[in-house]
Amino acid sequence: QVQFVESGGGLVQPGGSLRLSCVASTTGFNFLDMGWFRQAPGKQRDLVARISSTYSTNYIDSVKGRFSIFRDNTKNTVYLQMNNLKPEDTALYYCNHPSATTNWGQGTQVTVSS
């Protein structure tokens, strides 16, 4: 079973930036589509960005132009570069396959506040 370890979260002021990392413990990572999800308190977990095995990307409208997902298959790692952060981006962020409903890591907390 694939394990995901997320890191890179923290407390940042509005307008700031963070880069999240997710390492997947699996062979064949380069064949996996990957996604970043987030879950705010009291809300459902939503897919924010995804990257296919062929490097095509998709984003939800609220993060387009601010977030960028990319991957390094040599490190089994997917990243989420987050710029111009807003308070509404505050959430626990997870990585997983875009269609995943189970097998979640511990996530990494992002808090955007002045």
Side-chain angles (χ1 to χ4, degrees), residues 13-104:
Q13 292 185 341
S17 297
L18 285 172
R19 178 176 291 184
L20 307 184
S21 301
C22 167
V23 179
S25 61
T26 181
T27 57
F29 175 78
N30 52 309
F31 296 111
L32 294 179
D33 294 347
M34 289 296 299
W36 278 98
F37 299 75
R38 68 186 180 188
Q39 186 170 22
K43 296 189 177 181
Q44 67 180 21
R45 182 158 32 203
D46 292 324
L47 180 63
V48 172
R50 61 186 296 166
I51 183 167
S52 74
S53 59
T54 57
Y55 295 89
S56 64
T57 59
N58 294 94
Y59 304 89
I60 58 172
D61 286 346
S62 62
V63 307
K64 284 181 179 177
R66 300 189 298 121
F67 289 12
S68 179
I69 186 171
F70 56 103
R71 64 193 297 162
D72 184 342
N73 290 341
T74 67
K75 298 180 179 179
N76 275 21
T77 301
V78 60
Y79 301 92
L80 186 68
Q81 177 67 41
M82 306 187 295
N83 299 326
N84 190 21
L85 282 160
K86 303 177 180 182
E88 52 264 42
D89 296 318
T90 295
L92 193 57
Y93 284 72
Y94 303 86
C95 69
N96 209 326
H97 187 277
S99 301
T101 57
T102 61
N103 195 32
W104 299 98

